[in-house]
Amino acid sequence: MRITGQGRPRRVSQADIARRAGVTQAAVSLILRDKATTIPEETRRRVLDIAREMGYRADPLARRLAKGRSQLLGIFTYERVFGTAQRSLYHPFLLGIEEAAEESGNDLLLFTSAAMSGPVRSIYAGGENKLRLVDGAVLLGRDEIPADLEQLVAEQYPFVFIGRRFLDDGREVPNVSPDYRGAGRVLAGRIAALGHREVRYVGANSGLPATADRLAGLRDGDLVVSSSFPKLDEISPAFVRELRESGVTAVVAENTGYAEAVRNVAPGLPIAVAGISEESADEHWSGYGIPGRLVGRRALEQLLAAVEGGGDAISTVECPQHEGTTLTRA
């Protein structure tokens, strides 16, 4: 039943039931929550009958807040996650987050209106923490604002970043990341077993922790690893000639885009990819994959533990190795 009168119809409230039953609203609240231990049985039955007759339905938000939580979790991104193609970089991570949220009985709220100027987004745009609307949040993005993370840590606000991130004093913030270093170590062994010694890492993001982890894993092995960070259109026959002249016999590309660019100008050069998307249709690439879906699930599970005041603050997810056909003998 909806209560009508002047203006729009409204939801039946506990106050409406109390007026009809001739009891206090506090008594109605206790009865509906099955906590009316001192209220006469006759009164309890009358209130429940009236509630059914009036079509009362508990306000889900009020019910959640009564438990001390909204059961709403946030996703905040420092750049757009909905590209022109569904199979975007963030798609597997978002799938994993969604699955874990659904299984845990939590709803998700995507924050999209926190722009400061131009494409830059900030959690504290407008001077306040927008994430306070939810119990905790998963953060994504390559171009985070360090001051945001500093403030979240200072406030002890529950959050988990997808990918390793650090504060200015060197502390690592709560995060879940693919185990790029472990995967790189395994890949280095595979490359060395094929007779390669000099390897060049080619990618775009020289300053990201993920890049440092990828390189560290390769250098943990018995290889001499150099690195280049050109733009895609700078990968030319001259670029490949410089690789060969410096003794490089294999390339490890940051992603399939860079691998394709190298393959286009040097079809016979052995190539591995240090980060194959789960949704890539190119099964021929050798290297290792990014377990985006599992990382997303772990991030949500880790966030729930943080909201409850426990759990691990930092964790990694193993990257699957891809045999492929592009990494060949020296």
Side-chain angles (χ1 to χ4, degrees), residues 51-288:
R52 279 192 294 270
E53 177 188 329
M54 297 182 73
Y56 172 77
R57 295 290 184 273
D59 184 334
L61 179 58
R63 187 162 47 194
R64 289 171 171 180
L65 292 177
K67 297 178 181 179
R69 281 190 50 203
S70 69
Q71 287 185 275
L72 289 172
L73 300 172
I75 300 175
F76 180 89
T77 65
Y78 280 99
E79 60 254 13
R80 294 182 183 275
V81 295
F82 298 113
T84 55
Q86 182 188 27
R87 305 303 184 190
S88 66
L89 171 66
Y90 294 115
H91 187 244
F93 297 102
L94 294 172
L95 281 179
I97 293 169
E98 181 184 34
E99 289 170 354
E102 184 176 18
E103 290 171 9
S104 65
N106 287 270
D107 291 310
L108 292 172
L109 180 62
L110 177 64
F111 289 83
T112 61
S113 61
M116 292 177 64
S117 61
V120 180
R121 292 180 177 179
S122 171
I123 293 167
Y124 291 90
E128 61 183 7
N129 181 357
K130 293 180 177 293
L131 302 183
R132 287 290 180 190
L133 293 170
V134 294
D135 296 323
V138 177
L139 278 54
L140 302 93
R142 295 186 175 186
D143 299 316
E144 76 281 358
I145 297 177
D148 281 0
L149 305 186
E150 295 274 0
Q151 188 62 29
L152 289 175
V153 170
E155 292 178 9
Q156 298 184 321
Y157 180 82
F159 76 96
V160 175
F161 210 107
I162 288 186
R164 298 177 69 211
R165 293 295 186 273
F166 298 86
L167 302 181
D168 289 341
D169 62 8
R171 284 179 295 162
E172 192 168 356
V173 304
N175 71 78
V176 178
S177 65
D179 184 10
Y180 291 125
R181 184 162 190 169
R185 191 179 302 119
V186 174
L187 179 59
R190 292 169 56 193
I191 294 171
L194 291 170
H196 298 281
R197 172 70 174 163
E198 298 275 351
V199 175
R200 178 70 59 87
Y201 178 91
V202 180
N205 301 293
S206 59
L208 289 176
T211 301
D213 290 342
R214 287 178 169 110
L215 284 167
L218 292 171
R219 288 168 177 160
D220 285 342
D222 189 23
L223 298 173
V224 176
V225 182
S226 56
S227 58
S228 297
F229 301 100
K231 296 178 181 178
L232 282 172
D233 59 9
E234 294 173 346
I235 297 178
S236 62
F239 177 82
V240 174
R241 186 165 53 251
E242 183 274 323
L243 296 184
R244 295 189 186 280
E245 289 174 353
S246 63
V248 169
T249 59
V251 165
V252 176
E254 177 184 310
N255 53 45
T256 54
Y258 273 89
E260 288 281 7
V262 173
R263 176 54 58 92
N264 287 340
V265 295
L269 186 63
I271 303 174
V273 181
I276 303 169
S277 170
E278 289 175 312
E279 298 179 337
S280 172
D282 300 323
E283 297 182 359
H284 66 288
W285 290 115
S286 303
Y288 59 81

